[in-house]
Amino acid sequence: MKMSKTGLAVIFAAYVLVPLLLGSNSYVMSLIVAAMIIGGIALAWALLGNLGGMVSFGHSAFFGVGAYVSAILTMKAGVPVLAAMLLGGVGAVVASLAMLPVLRLRGPYFALAILAYAHIFKILATEWTSVTGGSAGLASVPRFPTLMGFDLSSKTGSYLIVLSLLLVFIAAYRVIRSSHYGIALRAMHDSEDATRVVGVNSTLLKALMLFVSAFMTGVIGAFNVHYINFLEPDYAFSGLWVTLPIVAAIFGGYRTILGPLVGAVTVYLVDQLIFKNLIPSGHQLILGALLVAMIIFSPGGLMPLLRKGTRRKHAAA
Amino acid sequence: MLEIANVRAGYGAINILWDVSISVPTGQLTTIIGPNGAGKTTLLRAIMGLVPLSQGSIRLNGEPLDGSSTWSMLERGVAMIPEGRMIFKDMTIEENLMLGAFPKAQRASAQANCEKAYAMFPRLSERRTQLAGTLSGGEAQMLAMARGLMSDPKLLIIDEPSLGLAPVVVNELFEILARLKAEGRTIVLVEQNTHKAVGVADHVHLMQSGKVVLSKPAAEVSLEALHELYFAH
């Protein structure tokens, strides 16, 4: 895979400079980690929503199932945390198997049906008290281990884990987008019948993308539970785990890889650092207004806007 | 040889095709003409597996075609050029073409077939990196044809290619159809332009209200008699 110099520089800065410069400020680090969690879900969501045109309101289910599977495996079966995180992703894929019938629906019907499915898992987590602890939740979920003398459960350690996850996701997204399947996904956005006519098994393709997206979201959910060490159904399956990423993915940019990430970091940080100070409760209101403004003035999202800005600077120079 | 026997099909409770039987000889051009709502497009969709049959059978060289999925048609050597082109507007021309060779077996020869398509449609070659949404109606139809040819199909199913095109472009289009026929491909052509369609065809079928009302070799068809049937109620 080709990687640009700026790309390498950004990765270097993310791995070395951010921990060195901001590592001591745990408030800022926790904001960054939270923004990256949203970014991870936004990227997984964008794989379905931006690339394949399947708008899902149900990703909070994958987030919650991933979290529960990983938490329960570490607490009751003694599985090591990092392995359990991957199994959390697998758990989310298993949950997505139940959602396969929804793939027959399109557009808003798909979005609503998958939202209903997401609710089923929340009810399961609440009612299956013997395993999930019910609505009281699970306390003291194991933290990240210490690896080669480095404490991964520290703010900086958690930051490095989520950063690595995101980089793997970006790589996976890039590979998928540039493959035959990526082209077929984009085509499906235009007309599913036409893609079938050119020989694409669209049902299988949609199912595969749902699995990949569910896996990514599940892993992020599992990361989050070991990061905060606590879990309860209302939190794990909260609608915010899907609404914020959707806002981020749309805000960031249509069909770009970095869009959802840039969108997540921007949206989350601006929301937490500025809007929350202005209006302590209900500050998400401004996000909604901002999204509307974005759709009107730059339907392509933040990324094209940024590029336009740099181009203008070049022209002026 | 494509054999359509006693086919009944439709959309849910509404039946469109009433016992349609048509046979399409290999290497020849068979045209199906008829007014709007006659069931021509539904018949093509039924061949492609986009509409399920409620009765009858469709066989290609003796093997049943009905019941197999739409996306497996390319592997069987059947390609469709759908009505209204159905090109992918947000993608470049080259990407549109590459998608026409999506099945694994076709990918190896995709590049060579792409060059062949450019040779047949030079205007597409000039614009290969442009978005397909920027093409004119005629160019979009050429792209749809080129995409259909990417899998080098033996049986081509073409739905109203001349729809909404200028007369000059229609002439060009029919020249290409004649060339494809000369290459030895079997073609099923649905058309409204009876004059042009009968001119290029070997066999003519006229459909009306879901039934075949006339089947004749093209040489024996008189356009006047055809038009009388066409406009009859």
Side-chain angles (χ1 to χ4, degrees):
Chain A
M1 201 191 316
K2 269 184 270 175
M3 210 174 303
S4 66
K5 272 187 194 149
T6 22
L8 282 174
V10 168
I11 291 173
F12 173 79
Y15 267 105
V16 179
L17 295 184
V18 171
L20 279 182
L21 294 177
L22 302 169
S24 55
N25 188 339
S26 67
Y27 173 61
V28 171
M29 281 312 271
S30 66
L31 281 183
I32 293 178
V33 171
M36 288 169 86
I37 288 170
I38 301 293
I41 309 171
L43 200 64
W45 183 90
L47 196 59
L48 271 188
N50 282 358
L51 209 53
M54 288 175 280
V55 173
S56 155
F57 287 151
H59 269 55
S60 49
F62 305 137
F63 185 86
V65 168
Y68 265 100
V69 167
S70 188
I72 291 166
L73 282 177
T74 48
M75 292 173 77
K76 306 216 163 150
V79 178
V81 169
L82 294 179
M85 268 170 61
L86 293 182
L87 290 173
V90 174
V93 173
V94 173
S96 73
L97 282 177
M99 299 188 183
L100 285 182
V102 182
L103 290 179
R104 296 174 64 96
L105 303 173
R106 285 174 203 183
Y109 302 101
F110 171 80
L112 290 177
I114 203 165
L115 176 67
Y117 262 100
H119 216 72
I120 294 173
F121 290 97
K122 181 177 171 178
I123 294 169
L124 263 179
T126 315
E127 299 298 326
W128 200 2
T129 323
S130 59
V131 177
T132 63
S135 49
L138 297 167
S140 58
V141 177
R143 292 166 180 281
F144 295 113
T146 304
L147 209 65
M148 292 182 289
F150 184 70
D151 183 14
L152 287 176
S153 68
S154 66
K155 282 277 184 291
T156 309
S158 306
Y159 165 78
L160 291 177
I161 295 177
V162 73
L163 176 63
S164 308
L165 285 177
L166 287 191
L167 287 177
V168 172
F169 289 179
I170 292 172
Y173 194 130
R174 274 180 72 155
V175 168
I176 290 171
R177 193 178 66 162
S178 57
S179 71
H180 277 84
Y181 299 103
I183 301 184
L185 269 177
R186 284 164 54 202
M188 217 155 66
H189 210 155
D190 268 343
S191 159
E192 193 172 337
D193 268 356
T195 35
R196 286 183 182 210
V197 164
V198 296
V200 178
N201 184 341
S202 56
T203 313
L204 182 68
L205 187 64
K206 287 202 285 189
L208 287 177
M209 283 309 123
L210 183 67
F211 294 159
V212 175
S213 186
F215 179 81
M216 287 180 172
T217 313
V219 171
I220 292 285
F223 165 82
N224 187 56
V225 69
H226 296 293
Y227 172 65
I228 61 163
N229 319 115
F230 172 75
L231 198 56
E232 52 114 0
D234 278 342
Y235 171 80
F237 294 96
S238 162
L240 272 184
W241 296 123
V242 65
T243 46
L244 266 182
I246 290 178
V247 172
I250 295 175
F251 199 83
Y254 177 67
R255 282 186 185 171
T256 58
I257 295 178
L258 291 177
L261 288 179
V262 173
V265 174
T266 314
V267 164
Y268 189 79
L269 291 185
V270 168
D271 182 46
Q272 291 293 316
L273 291 174
I274 301 173
F275 299 159
K276 208 174 176 179
N277 289 332
L278 293 176
I279 316 173
S281 67
H283 50 94
Q284 283 93 345
L285 210 76
I286 309 181
L287 274 188
L290 213 59
L291 185 66
V292 171
M294 186 61 121
I295 290 169
I296 293 174
F297 294 110
S298 176
L302 198 59
M303 290 301 279
L305 213 62
L306 287 175
R307 270 189 222 124
K308 220 193 273 171
T310 51
R311 218 176 290 147
R312 257 191 222 133
K313 256 180 241 153
H314 284 305
Chain B
M1 175 103 117
L2 175 74
E3 272 171 297
I4 301 161
N6 283 320
V7 162
R8 256 184 214 194
Y11 306 94
I14 300 163
N15 195 59
I16 305 286
L17 301 176
W18 297 95
D19 309 318
V20 170
S21 297
I22 286 175
S23 62
V24 178
T26 306
Q28 299 190 1
L29 197 154
T30 302
T31 186
I32 301 169
I33 54 184
N36 291 335
K40 307 181 298 294
T41 297
T42 305
L43 179 62
L44 298 193
R45 289 173 66 87
I47 297 173
M48 290 304 289
L50 285 164
V51 176
L53 306 188
S54 54
Q55 181 201 297
S57 70
I58 298 174
R59 290 167 169 273
L60 181 64
N61 302 324
E63 303 273 322
L65 211 55
D66 48 289
S68 33
S69 56
T70 304
W71 49 81
S72 64
M73 289 296 160
L74 279 200
E75 285 158 31
R76 318 259 317 246
V78 185
M80 184 190 203
I81 296 161
E83 185 184 10
R85 355 257 200 239
M86 283 200 186
I87 55 168
F88 306 115
K89 294 192 182 71
D90 285 346
M91 292 163 43
T92 66
I93 286 162
E94 187 126 334
E95 284 171 333
N96 264 277
L97 289 179
M98 281 305 163
L99 206 52
F102 183 80
K104 277 211 176 69
Q106 314 289 348
R107 287 180 203 168
S109 51
Q111 207 57 50
N113 282 338
C114 195
E115 290 310 318
K116 263 192 226 167
Y118 284 144
M120 190 176 271
F121 307 99
R123 242 179 304 172
L124 296 181
S125 172
E126 292 161 21
R127 305 184 177 192
R128 56 177 83 188
T129 57
Q130 273 183 25
L131 290 186
T134 63
L135 294 180
S136 72
E139 290 162 344
Q141 184 61 48
M142 299 302 170
L143 176 59
M145 305 264 290
R147 187 183 66 191
L149 291 169
M150 281 297 288
S151 56
D152 202 8
K154 291 182 188 65
L155 173 60
L156 252 182
I157 292 173
I158 310 174
D159 197 358
E160 291 209 32
S162 72
L163 193 73
L165 300 184
V168 188
V169 186
V170 173
N171 286 343
E172 208 176 315
L173 194 84
F174 275 89
E175 275 163 31
I176 286 162
L177 287 178
R179 254 163 81 188
L180 292 175
K181 184 176 126 180
E183 282 177 7
R185 293 183 210 271
T186 312
I187 299 173
V188 178
L189 172 70
V190 158
E191 254 305 336
Q192 296 268 12
N193 189 333
T194 48
H195 178 70
K196 284 276 178 193
V198 172
V200 75
D202 298 296
H203 299 274
V204 178
H205 301 271
L206 177 67
M207 278 183 78
Q208 236 162 15
S209 341
K211 294 183 186 120
V212 178
V213 293
L214 176 139
S215 295
K216 265 188 180 173
E220 294 172 23
V221 171
S222 100
L223 276 175
E224 273 154 45
L226 194 68
H227 284 164
E228 220 154 274
L229 269 173
Y230 202 114
F231 295 115
H233 285 284

